[in-house]
Amino acid sequence: KGEVTAAALRLRARRPELFGPAAAYAPLGAEGPAAAHCAAFVRSGEVVTAVTRLSLRLAEAGGWGDTRLPLPPGRWADVLTPGRRFEGHARVAELFEGLPVALLERVTEP
């Protein structure tokens, strides 16, 4: 929890305009057999936060399967696991590989 919180606070310090009172917020809906177990939203079109919900029920149901999270257009860097990139419809099993939470930032470099 501490590392996730620290990473989120560093992102907020580096990009305060995305989190201030004028920042926009929009929900993102996962698609697929375990979509109900993923809660996600995008802040100001530049930061995606996604979390696993009801993880015990998810495991009992067989896991993520082919559940995907449609990301807003562009390339997204994983703030919690540097070096990982996503775009398009991210496989949720891959998104949550290692952690039950994901924090993505839009990137412009290739």
XYZ file of all heavy atoms in Angstrom:
820
model
N 0.822 -1.199 0.000
C 0.000 0.000 0.000
C 0.856 1.249 0.000
O 0.533 2.223 -0.663
C -0.921 0.019 1.217
C -2.093 -0.895 1.133
C -2.952 -0.708 2.372
C -4.112 -1.632 2.385
N -4.942 -1.464 3.562
N 1.924 1.207 0.760
C 2.788 2.375 0.863
C 3.414 2.764 -0.457
O 3.473 3.952 -0.801
N 3.883 1.777 -1.211
C 4.509 2.068 -2.506
C 3.496 2.596 -3.515
O 3.804 3.489 -4.303
C 5.212 0.825 -3.042
C 6.476 0.487 -2.279
C 7.205 -0.694 -2.877
O 7.205 -0.842 -4.118
O 7.772 -1.465 -2.097
N 2.295 2.048 -3.498
C 1.245 2.514 -4.409
C 0.884 3.961 -4.073
O 0.785 4.812 -4.967
C -0.002 1.600 -4.338
C -1.170 2.206 -5.096
C 0.331 0.218 -4.883
N 0.703 4.245 -2.804
C 0.370 5.602 -2.371
C 1.485 6.573 -2.738
O 1.227 7.665 -3.247
C 0.102 5.641 -0.857
O -0.987 4.753 -0.574
C -0.251 7.037 -0.389
N 2.736 6.185 -2.490
C 3.874 7.052 -2.811
C 3.947 7.333 -4.313
O 4.187 8.473 -4.731
C 5.169 6.420 -2.314
N 3.732 6.316 -5.145
C 3.764 6.504 -6.598
C 2.658 7.454 -7.049
O 2.879 8.329 -7.892
C 3.645 5.161 -7.311
N 1.467 7.297 -6.480
C 0.348 8.174 -6.839
C 0.624 9.615 -6.401
O 0.332 10.561 -7.146
C -0.940 7.664 -6.200
N 1.208 9.795 -5.243
C 1.528 11.150 -4.765
C 2.630 11.792 -5.610
O 2.588 13.004 -5.874
C 1.914 11.117 -3.292
C 0.760 10.825 -2.331
C 1.283 10.648 -0.904
C -0.290 11.932 -2.388
N 3.603 11.009 -6.059
C 4.645 11.553 -6.944
C 4.035 12.008 -8.272
O 4.382 13.071 -8.796
C 5.740 10.517 -7.198
C 6.711 10.348 -6.040
C 7.926 9.513 -6.420
N 7.596 8.163 -6.867
C 7.450 7.113 -6.058
N 7.603 7.253 -4.747
N 7.164 5.925 -6.553
N 3.119 11.206 -8.804
C 2.441 11.580 -10.044
C 1.642 12.860 -9.838
O 1.695 13.773 -10.661
C 1.529 10.442 -10.513
C 0.677 10.717 -11.755
C 1.538 11.050 -12.966
C -0.222 9.527 -12.047
N 0.949 12.950 -8.750
C 0.156 14.149 -8.451
C 1.042 15.378 -8.302
O 0.695 16.462 -8.764
C -0.672 13.923 -7.186
C -1.594 15.055 -6.870
C -2.388 14.781 -5.600
N -3.191 15.925 -5.282
C -4.497 15.907 -5.169
N -5.153 14.794 -5.337
N -5.152 16.997 -4.874
N 2.203 15.220 -7.675
C 3.130 16.345 -7.511
C 3.707 16.781 -8.862
O 3.917 17.974 -9.109
C 4.251 15.963 -6.555
N 3.968 15.819 -9.737
C 4.546 16.097 -11.050
C 3.521 16.679 -12.018
O 3.859 17.470 -12.892
C 5.126 14.784 -11.606
C 6.018 14.934 -12.793
C 6.824 13.673 -13.109
N 6.181 12.396 -12.885
C 5.312 11.817 -13.711
N 4.955 12.408 -14.817
N 4.791 10.632 -13.426
N 2.242 16.305 -11.876
C 1.183 16.731 -12.802
C -0.034 17.252 -12.038
O -1.142 16.730 -12.156
C 0.755 15.559 -13.691
C 1.852 14.779 -14.401
C 2.236 15.255 -15.771
N 1.200 15.594 -16.693
C 0.670 14.779 -17.599
N 1.049 13.527 -17.692
N -0.240 15.222 -18.426
N 0.117 18.299 -11.215
C -0.989 18.761 -10.355
C -2.230 19.199 -11.120
O -3.345 19.095 -10.599
C -0.382 19.925 -9.574
C 0.782 20.373 -10.381
C 1.294 19.147 -11.098
N -2.066 19.671 -12.356
C -3.216 20.133 -13.134
C -4.211 19.014 -13.424
O -5.382 19.265 -13.697
C -2.752 20.783 -14.448
C -2.233 19.823 -15.497
C -0.801 19.312 -15.297
O -0.157 19.646 -14.279
O -0.329 18.549 -16.152
N -3.772 17.783 -13.338
C -4.658 16.647 -13.614
C -5.521 16.268 -12.421
O -6.461 15.487 -12.552
C -3.831 15.427 -14.041
C -2.913 15.618 -15.243
C -2.154 14.327 -15.526
C -3.698 16.069 -16.453
N -5.195 16.807 -11.255
C -5.875 16.402 -10.033
C -6.567 17.541 -9.304
O -7.223 17.324 -8.308
C -4.872 15.731 -9.085
C -4.259 14.495 -9.660
C -3.079 14.561 -10.368
C -4.874 13.273 -9.517
C -2.506 13.419 -10.912
C -4.320 12.127 -10.054
C -3.128 12.198 -10.761
N -6.423 18.766 -9.768
C -6.995 19.927 -9.093
C -8.497 20.026 -9.257
O -9.145 19.155 -9.855
N -9.072 21.121 -8.757
C -10.523 21.306 -8.803
C -11.100 21.348 -10.217
O -12.259 21.022 -10.421
C -10.756 22.636 -8.092
C -9.442 23.135 -7.650
C -8.383 22.190 -8.075
N -10.302 21.726 -11.201
C -10.796 21.796 -12.581
C -10.605 20.479 -13.329
O -10.979 20.366 -14.496
C -10.077 22.921 -13.326
N -10.042 19.474 -12.678
C -9.775 18.190 -13.333
C -11.076 17.461 -13.657
O -12.033 17.506 -12.895
C -8.899 17.322 -12.439
N -11.079 16.789 -14.795
C -12.245 16.009 -15.216
C -12.101 14.563 -14.751
O -11.000 14.079 -14.514
C -12.366 16.053 -16.732
N -13.219 13.894 -14.636
C -13.275 12.506 -14.177
C -14.310 11.778 -15.016
O -15.417 12.277 -15.205
C -13.666 12.500 -12.698
C -14.120 11.182 -12.156
C -13.222 10.320 -11.554
C -15.452 10.791 -12.231
C -13.636 9.099 -11.035
C -15.870 9.574 -11.717
C -14.958 8.743 -11.130
O -15.359 7.538 -10.629
N -13.941 10.612 -15.549
C -14.903 9.826 -16.329
C -14.692 8.339 -16.046
O -13.554 7.863 -16.023
C -14.736 10.093 -17.816
N -15.767 7.594 -15.824
C -15.631 6.160 -15.580
C -15.221 5.425 -16.855
O -15.516 5.863 -17.969
C -17.032 5.738 -15.140
C -17.937 6.778 -15.708
C -17.147 8.048 -15.791
N -14.515 4.317 -16.678
C -14.172 3.410 -17.773
C -14.801 2.063 -17.449
O -14.664 1.577 -16.324
C -12.657 3.233 -17.889
C -11.839 4.440 -18.324
C -10.351 4.098 -18.274
C -12.233 4.873 -19.710
N -15.449 1.462 -18.395
C -16.089 0.173 -18.171
C -15.308 -0.962 -18.810
O -14.989 -0.906 -19.998
N -15.001 -1.964 -18.016
C -14.342 -3.160 -18.541
C -15.362 -3.965 -19.348
O -16.581 -3.815 -19.179
C -13.779 -3.996 -17.398
N -14.843 -4.826 -20.223
C -15.690 -5.667 -21.066
C -15.240 -7.107 -20.937
O -14.048 -7.387 -20.894
C -15.549 -5.243 -22.532
C -15.925 -3.803 -22.783
C -15.545 -3.314 -24.176
O -14.748 -3.999 -24.868
O -16.027 -2.248 -24.562
N -16.183 -8.021 -20.845
C -15.847 -9.433 -20.788
C -16.440 -10.129 -19.585
O -17.211 -9.540 -18.828
N -16.066 -11.396 -19.389
C -16.718 -12.233 -18.383
C -16.549 -11.763 -16.943
O -17.399 -12.043 -16.112
C -16.068 -13.604 -18.586
C -14.783 -13.335 -19.285
C -15.023 -12.117 -20.111
N -15.489 -11.053 -16.627
C -15.265 -10.611 -15.244
C -15.276 -9.089 -15.133
O -14.681 -8.521 -14.225
C -13.948 -11.188 -14.723
N -15.980 -8.428 -16.038
C -16.005 -6.962 -16.064
C -16.464 -6.353 -14.743
O -15.976 -5.299 -14.338
C -16.892 -6.484 -17.207
N -17.375 -7.007 -14.059
C -17.895 -6.473 -12.797
C -16.836 -6.419 -11.696
O -17.040 -5.766 -10.671
C -19.084 -7.304 -12.327
N -15.712 -7.078 -11.912
C -14.654 -7.111 -10.894
C -13.580 -6.051 -11.127
O -12.578 -6.017 -10.420
C -14.016 -8.497 -10.848
C -14.971 -9.543 -10.380
N -15.275 -9.728 -9.058
C -15.714 -10.429 -11.076
C -16.152 -10.701 -8.947
N -16.454 -11.138 -10.158
N -13.774 -5.194 -12.107
C -12.818 -4.126 -12.411
C -13.534 -2.782 -12.320
O -14.518 -2.549 -13.020
C -12.241 -4.304 -13.818
S -11.099 -2.995 -14.320
N -13.043 -1.914 -11.447
C -13.540 -0.541 -11.357
C -12.428 0.363 -11.876
O -11.278 0.244 -11.451
C -13.889 -0.188 -9.916
N -12.757 1.253 -12.825
C -11.727 2.085 -13.433
C -12.288 3.450 -13.817
O -13.483 3.599 -14.074
C -11.156 1.394 -14.671
N -11.394 4.444 -13.843
C -11.767 5.779 -14.289
C -10.551 6.481 -14.866
O -9.414 6.084 -14.634
C -12.393 6.602 -13.156
C -11.482 6.859 -11.990
C -10.683 7.992 -11.952
C -11.432 5.985 -10.927
C -9.842 8.241 -10.876
C -10.610 6.224 -9.834
C -9.809 7.355 -9.810
N -10.808 7.533 -15.626
C -9.740 8.349 -16.207
C -9.883 9.775 -15.670
O -10.990 10.298 -15.585
C -9.766 8.310 -17.757
C -11.056 8.837 -18.337
C -8.567 9.051 -18.338
N -8.750 10.358 -15.260
C -8.718 11.734 -14.771
C -8.150 12.625 -15.857
O -7.057 12.388 -16.357
C -7.809 11.877 -13.537
C -8.259 11.240 -12.273
C -9.405 11.904 -11.576
N -9.287 13.304 -11.293
C -9.383 13.831 -10.086
N -9.524 13.077 -9.024
N -9.342 15.135 -9.931
N -8.904 13.642 -16.217
C -8.448 14.665 -17.161
C -7.921 14.083 -18.467
O -7.105 14.695 -19.141
C -7.381 15.548 -16.508
O -7.897 16.155 -15.340
N -8.344 12.873 -18.809
C -7.909 12.237 -20.034
C -6.449 11.826 -20.051
O -5.938 11.402 -21.074
N -5.771 11.912 -18.901
C -4.332 11.683 -18.858
C -3.868 10.633 -17.859
O -2.727 10.198 -17.915
C -3.608 13.008 -18.530
C -3.804 14.091 -19.560
C -3.113 13.792 -20.882
O -2.003 13.232 -20.867
O -3.690 14.116 -21.934
N -4.714 10.246 -16.924
C -4.344 9.255 -15.902
C -5.495 8.261 -15.749
O -6.642 8.663 -15.571
C -4.054 9.923 -14.533
C -3.807 8.875 -13.459
C -2.862 10.864 -14.628
N -5.168 6.982 -15.835
C -6.165 5.927 -15.641
C -5.860 5.207 -14.334
O -4.722 4.829 -14.075
C -6.145 4.907 -16.807
C -7.001 3.682 -16.481
C -6.620 5.561 -18.093
N -6.882 5.046 -13.519
C -6.786 4.272 -12.293
C -7.745 3.095 -12.422
O -8.898 3.278 -12.814
C -7.184 5.116 -11.063
O -6.336 6.267 -11.001
C -7.063 4.319 -9.776
N -7.272 1.899 -12.119
C -8.114 0.703 -12.176
C -7.818 -0.152 -10.952
O -6.668 -0.251 -10.520
C -7.843 -0.087 -13.444
N -8.864 -0.745 -10.399
C -8.712 -1.606 -9.225
C -9.549 -2.869 -9.387
O -10.562 -2.878 -10.081
C -9.116 -0.890 -7.912
C -8.230 0.309 -7.651
C -10.572 -0.480 -7.929
N -9.082 -3.914 -8.731
C -9.822 -5.166 -8.665
C -10.842 -5.043 -7.547
O -10.533 -4.533 -6.474
C -8.869 -6.331 -8.344
O -7.859 -6.375 -9.335
C -9.606 -7.654 -8.290
N -12.057 -5.517 -7.791
C -13.062 -5.538 -6.723
C -13.591 -6.958 -6.563
O -13.636 -7.718 -7.529
C -14.187 -4.532 -6.991
C -14.976 -4.743 -8.244
C -16.045 -3.667 -8.482
N -17.055 -3.621 -7.457
C -18.147 -4.370 -7.442
N -18.360 -5.237 -8.414
N -19.023 -4.251 -6.471
N -13.927 -7.285 -5.348
C -14.464 -8.600 -5.017
C -13.543 -9.720 -5.507
O -13.948 -10.631 -6.227
C -15.876 -8.768 -5.583
C -16.896 -7.697 -5.178
C -18.181 -7.854 -5.947
C -17.143 -7.736 -3.669
N -12.279 -9.644 -5.102
C -11.254 -10.555 -5.623
C -11.498 -12.021 -5.263
O -11.168 -12.903 -6.050
C -9.867 -10.116 -5.162
O -9.797 -10.066 -3.763
N -12.077 -12.303 -4.110
C -12.357 -13.694 -3.754
C -13.406 -14.281 -4.699
O -13.234 -15.395 -5.214
C -12.825 -13.804 -2.300
C -13.114 -15.206 -1.804
C -11.895 -16.106 -1.935
C -13.580 -15.169 -0.351
N -14.450 -13.542 -4.980
C -15.471 -14.003 -5.928
C -14.892 -14.145 -7.335
O -15.255 -15.061 -8.073
C -16.658 -13.048 -5.951
C -17.473 -13.104 -4.687
C -18.675 -12.219 -4.786
N -19.322 -12.105 -3.481
C -20.203 -11.198 -3.170
N -20.585 -10.309 -4.067
N -20.736 -11.167 -1.969
N -13.995 -13.239 -7.687
C -13.329 -13.325 -8.983
C -12.556 -14.631 -9.091
O -12.658 -15.346 -10.089
C -12.389 -12.132 -9.172
C -11.477 -12.158 -10.390
C -12.290 -12.087 -11.686
C -10.475 -11.013 -10.320
N -11.799 -14.965 -8.074
C -11.021 -16.208 -8.075
C -11.937 -17.422 -8.133
O -11.672 -18.378 -8.873
C -10.131 -16.266 -6.839
N -13.021 -17.388 -7.371
C -13.980 -18.502 -7.370
C -14.617 -18.698 -8.740
O -14.957 -19.818 -9.123
C -15.064 -18.269 -6.316
C -14.559 -18.376 -4.892
C -15.588 -17.911 -3.856
O -16.626 -17.317 -4.244
O -15.334 -18.130 -2.659
N -14.774 -17.600 -9.491
C -15.398 -17.666 -10.821
C -14.404 -18.057 -11.914
O -14.779 -18.186 -13.078
C -16.046 -16.328 -11.153
N -13.126 -18.204 -11.563
C -12.148 -18.646 -12.554
C -11.204 -17.573 -13.062
O -10.461 -17.805 -14.010
N -11.233 -16.379 -12.476
C -10.282 -15.339 -12.872
C -10.794 -14.424 -13.969
O -11.975 -14.412 -14.300
N -9.867 -13.672 -14.544
C -10.212 -12.629 -15.502
C -10.634 -13.139 -16.869
O -11.380 -12.464 -17.584
C -9.032 -11.659 -15.680
C -8.758 -10.840 -14.472
C -7.685 -10.936 -13.630
C -9.580 -9.803 -13.939
N -7.792 -10.028 -12.621
C -8.942 -9.307 -12.781
C -10.792 -9.240 -14.325
C -9.479 -8.279 -12.012
C -11.330 -8.207 -13.552
C -10.675 -7.742 -12.413
N -10.153 -14.294 -17.270
C -10.479 -14.778 -18.610
C -10.065 -13.756 -19.655
O -8.971 -13.190 -19.591
N -10.935 -13.464 -20.596
C -10.621 -12.518 -21.673
C -11.190 -11.126 -21.388
O -11.519 -10.383 -22.303
C -11.146 -13.047 -23.007
C -10.572 -12.269 -24.186
O -9.404 -11.836 -24.096
O -11.295 -12.064 -25.175
N -11.294 -10.761 -20.125
C -11.799 -9.432 -19.763
C -10.783 -8.382 -20.196
O -9.579 -8.556 -20.014
C -12.054 -9.348 -18.245
O -12.957 -10.398 -17.878
C -12.643 -8.009 -17.852
N -11.285 -7.298 -20.772
C -10.421 -6.219 -21.263
C -10.930 -4.870 -20.775
O -12.120 -4.702 -20.531
C -10.370 -6.226 -22.786
C -9.737 -7.497 -23.331
C -9.684 -7.512 -24.851
N -9.096 -8.745 -25.328
C -7.798 -8.928 -25.536
N -6.956 -7.962 -25.310
N -7.347 -10.088 -25.972
N -10.001 -3.922 -20.670
C -10.353 -2.554 -20.306
C -10.034 -1.660 -21.495
O -8.867 -1.502 -21.863
C -9.562 -2.094 -19.080
C -9.874 -0.678 -18.589
C -11.327 -0.589 -18.106
C -8.919 -0.268 -17.483
N -11.066 -1.086 -22.144
C -10.814 -0.175 -23.257
C -10.206 1.127 -22.721
O -10.842 1.834 -21.954
C -12.188 0.088 -23.857
C -13.138 -0.821 -23.170
C -12.491 -1.301 -21.919
N -8.974 1.392 -23.116
C -8.294 2.605 -22.681
C -8.606 3.749 -23.638
O -8.844 3.514 -24.823
C -6.787 2.371 -22.641
C -6.308 1.293 -21.677
C -4.822 1.030 -21.869
C -6.609 1.686 -20.236
N -8.587 4.978 -23.140
C -8.734 6.110 -24.059
C -7.616 6.070 -25.106
O -6.558 5.470 -24.873
C -8.592 7.328 -23.141
C -8.998 6.825 -21.781
C -8.504 5.409 -21.743
N -7.809 6.707 -26.256
C -6.792 6.685 -27.304
C -5.427 7.144 -26.790
O -5.340 8.014 -25.925
C -7.334 7.664 -28.353
C -8.806 7.675 -28.126
C -8.989 7.480 -26.650
N -4.393 6.541 -27.325
C -3.029 6.915 -26.964
C -2.266 5.771 -26.341
O -2.752 4.647 -26.251
N -1.049 6.089 -25.916
C -0.187 5.111 -25.247
C -0.168 5.424 -23.770
O -0.143 6.586 -23.358
C 1.224 5.180 -25.802
C 1.292 4.723 -27.226
C 2.703 4.774 -27.729
N 2.713 4.274 -29.091
C 3.791 3.946 -29.728
N 4.958 4.072 -29.152
N 3.720 3.502 -30.958
N -0.114 4.355 -22.969
C -0.211 4.497 -21.523
C 0.945 3.770 -20.852
O 1.206 2.610 -21.144
C -1.553 3.924 -21.044
C -2.693 4.684 -21.628
C -3.307 4.467 -22.822
C -3.305 5.837 -21.063
N -4.278 5.404 -23.029
C -4.308 6.258 -21.960
C -3.124 6.544 -19.870
C -5.110 7.359 -21.707
C -3.931 7.644 -19.619
C -4.916 8.044 -20.534
N 1.631 4.468 -19.944
C 2.746 3.889 -19.197
C 2.265 3.510 -17.805
O 1.527 4.260 -17.164
C 3.889 4.893 -19.084
N 2.689 2.369 -17.335
C 2.353 1.885 -16.001
C 3.226 2.627 -14.986
O 4.439 2.476 -14.977
C 2.609 0.382 -15.936
C 2.127 -0.256 -14.651
O 2.028 0.448 -13.623
O 1.866 -1.464 -14.675
N 2.622 3.429 -14.154
C 3.346 4.219 -13.154
C 3.888 3.318 -12.042
O 4.947 3.583 -11.480
C 2.430 5.325 -12.561
C 3.099 6.064 -11.425
C 2.003 6.299 -13.656
N 3.191 2.230 -11.737
C 3.578 1.350 -10.632
C 4.635 0.329 -11.031
O 5.376 -0.156 -10.182
C 2.340 0.633 -10.079
C 1.225 1.570 -9.610
C 0.004 0.761 -9.203
C 1.702 2.452 -8.470
N 4.683 -0.017 -12.309
C 5.678 -0.968 -12.816
C 6.313 -0.354 -14.061
O 5.870 -0.603 -15.183
C 5.028 -2.328 -13.155
O 4.257 -2.777 -12.041
C 6.083 -3.367 -13.487
N 7.333 0.478 -13.871
C 7.963 1.159 -15.011
C 8.412 0.179 -16.096
O 8.827 -0.938 -15.821
C 9.164 1.864 -14.370
C 8.751 2.075 -12.938
C 7.936 0.855 -12.598
N 8.259 0.637 -17.333
C 8.648 -0.181 -18.479
C 7.475 -0.874 -19.147
O 7.586 -1.305 -20.287
N 6.359 -0.980 -18.443
C 5.181 -1.606 -19.065
C 4.362 -0.540 -19.767
O 4.178 0.550 -19.250
C 4.322 -2.317 -18.011
C 5.013 -3.504 -17.434
C 4.166 -4.415 -16.574
N 2.971 -3.870 -15.987
C 1.833 -4.560 -15.842
N 1.763 -5.827 -16.221
N 0.777 -4.017 -15.285
N 3.853 -0.878 -20.962
C 3.045 0.047 -21.757
C 1.772 -0.665 -22.207
O 1.767 -1.867 -22.431
C 3.811 0.508 -22.994
C 5.101 1.257 -22.717
C 4.807 2.728 -22.538
N 5.985 3.566 -22.657
C 6.687 3.993 -21.627
N 6.377 3.621 -20.418
N 7.705 4.803 -21.796
N 0.728 0.128 -22.368
C -0.558 -0.392 -22.821
C -1.163 0.573 -23.824
O -0.910 1.774 -23.765
C -1.538 -0.546 -21.643
C -1.087 -1.505 -20.594
C -0.351 -1.070 -19.501
C -1.381 -2.850 -20.689
C 0.080 -1.962 -18.523
C -0.960 -3.752 -19.724
C -0.231 -3.300 -18.638
N -1.988 0.048 -24.714
C -2.818 0.883 -25.578
C -3.967 0.032 -26.109
O -3.912 -1.190 -26.097
C -2.026 1.556 -26.692
C -1.461 0.711 -27.777
C -0.666 1.566 -28.774
O -1.290 2.301 -29.564
O 0.566 1.486 -28.746
N -5.013 0.718 -26.530
C -6.172 -0.005 -27.043
C -6.964 -0.677 -25.940
O -7.238 -0.082 -24.909
N -7.297 -1.930 -26.144
C -8.041 -2.711 -25.155
C -7.033 -3.552 -24.371
O -6.561 -4.575 -24.867
C -9.061 -3.616 -25.836
C -10.275 -2.893 -26.309
N -10.234 -1.926 -27.294
C -11.566 -2.983 -25.925
C -11.449 -1.460 -27.496
N -12.280 -2.086 -26.684
N -6.732 -3.130 -23.154
C -5.747 -3.835 -22.321
C -6.377 -5.075 -21.699
O -7.496 -5.016 -21.165
C -5.228 -2.916 -21.223
N -5.675 -6.195 -21.773
C -6.133 -7.405 -21.076
C -6.020 -7.137 -19.580
O -4.955 -6.770 -19.082
C -5.276 -8.607 -21.459
C -5.505 -9.074 -22.888
C -4.807 -10.402 -23.201
N -5.376 -11.466 -22.371
C -4.676 -12.124 -21.442
N -3.410 -11.864 -21.222
N -5.260 -13.067 -20.733
N -7.109 -7.301 -18.858
C -7.126 -6.969 -17.433
C -6.190 -7.890 -16.652
O -5.527 -7.450 -15.718
C -8.566 -6.991 -16.879
C -8.592 -6.745 -15.392
C -9.406 -5.938 -17.598
N -6.089 -9.154 -17.035
C -5.162 -10.068 -16.349
C -3.733 -9.540 -16.444
O -2.963 -9.628 -15.485
C -5.259 -11.469 -16.953
N -3.375 -8.966 -17.572
C -2.038 -8.395 -17.739
C -1.914 -7.075 -16.984
O -0.895 -6.786 -16.363
C -1.747 -8.177 -19.223
C -0.356 -7.670 -19.500
C -0.097 -7.458 -20.986
O -0.828 -8.016 -21.824
O 0.847 -6.712 -21.295
N -2.954 -6.273 -17.030
C -2.960 -4.986 -16.346
C -2.724 -5.164 -14.850
O -1.971 -4.412 -14.235
C -4.306 -4.302 -16.601
C -4.454 -2.844 -16.223
C -3.538 -1.962 -17.053
C -5.901 -2.419 -16.429
N -3.353 -6.192 -14.263
C -3.243 -6.432 -12.827
C -2.195 -7.490 -12.481
O -2.205 -8.049 -11.394
C -4.595 -6.848 -12.246
C -5.623 -5.748 -12.272
C -6.912 -6.011 -12.661
C -5.301 -4.459 -11.898
C -7.880 -5.016 -12.674
C -6.244 -3.449 -11.912
C -7.537 -3.722 -12.302
N -1.297 -7.760 -13.406
C -0.244 -8.738 -13.154
C 0.657 -8.216 -12.023
O 1.306 -7.188 -12.156
C 0.572 -8.913 -14.429
C 1.511 -10.074 -14.407
C 2.158 -10.247 -15.774
O 3.112 -9.512 -16.053
O 1.671 -11.078 -16.554
N 0.654 -8.905 -10.904
C 1.505 -8.525 -9.781
C 0.835 -7.645 -8.742
O 1.210 -7.672 -7.574
N -0.138 -6.837 -9.134
C -0.840 -5.956 -8.194
C -2.329 -5.934 -8.542
O -2.679 -6.008 -9.723
C -0.306 -4.522 -8.287
C 1.099 -4.240 -7.797
C 1.506 -2.808 -8.164
C 1.184 -4.430 -6.297
N -3.195 -5.767 -7.549
C -4.631 -5.692 -7.839
C -5.086 -4.282 -8.217
O -6.270 -3.984 -8.251
C -5.261 -6.141 -6.523
C -4.281 -5.689 -5.490
C -2.927 -5.835 -6.118
N -4.129 -3.405 -8.500
C -4.413 -2.013 -8.842
C -3.469 -1.595 -9.964
O -2.351 -2.104 -10.071
C -4.249 -1.094 -7.605
C -2.841 -1.148 -7.054
C -4.628 0.340 -7.907
N -3.937 -0.680 -10.827
C -3.093 -0.155 -11.898
C -3.237 1.365 -11.932
O -4.327 1.903 -11.724
C -3.501 -0.742 -13.240
N -2.126 2.027 -12.197
C -2.100 3.477 -12.347
C -1.323 3.759 -13.630
O -0.126 3.475 -13.710
C -1.428 4.127 -11.135
C -1.368 5.649 -11.108
C -2.774 6.255 -11.127
C -0.611 6.120 -9.874
N -2.021 4.271 -14.638
C -1.425 4.504 -15.948
C -1.409 5.989 -16.260
O -2.351 6.710 -15.933
C -2.222 3.780 -17.032
C -2.500 2.300 -16.829
C -3.361 1.776 -17.976
C -1.209 1.514 -16.719
N -0.340 6.425 -16.941
C -0.205 7.812 -17.355
C -0.028 7.848 -18.869
O 0.757 7.080 -19.423
C 1.005 8.434 -16.670
C 1.276 9.866 -17.061
C 2.515 10.440 -16.384
O 3.354 9.672 -15.854
O 2.649 11.659 -16.402
N -0.747 8.762 -19.523
C -0.607 8.914 -20.972
C 0.816 9.386 -21.271
O 1.331 10.262 -20.595
C -1.608 9.929 -21.520
C -1.555 10.055 -23.040
C -2.428 11.185 -23.547
N -3.816 11.056 -23.165
C -4.725 10.345 -23.814
N -4.392 9.637 -24.859
N -5.979 10.316 -23.403
N 1.423 8.777 -22.282
C 2.779 9.175 -22.688
C 2.768 9.558 -24.160
O 1.950 9.063 -24.937
C 3.806 8.051 -22.431
C 4.005 7.822 -20.949
C 3.407 6.759 -23.110
N 3.698 10.421 -24.533
C 3.761 10.868 -25.916
C 4.931 10.267 -26.660
O 4.928 10.235 -27.888
C 3.854 12.403 -25.983
O 4.992 12.825 -25.195
C 2.598 13.038 -25.459
N 5.949 9.771 -25.953
C 7.091 9.175 -26.655
C 6.722 7.793 -27.178
O 5.849 7.143 -26.645
C 8.336 9.106 -25.761
C 8.261 8.071 -24.663
C 7.765 8.591 -23.328
O 7.393 9.764 -23.220
O 7.737 7.800 -22.375
N 7.430 7.349 -28.231
C 7.110 6.048 -28.855
C 7.397 4.869 -27.945
O 8.036 4.913 -26.990
C 8.000 6.015 -30.078
C 8.967 7.118 -29.958
C 8.489 8.051 -28.898
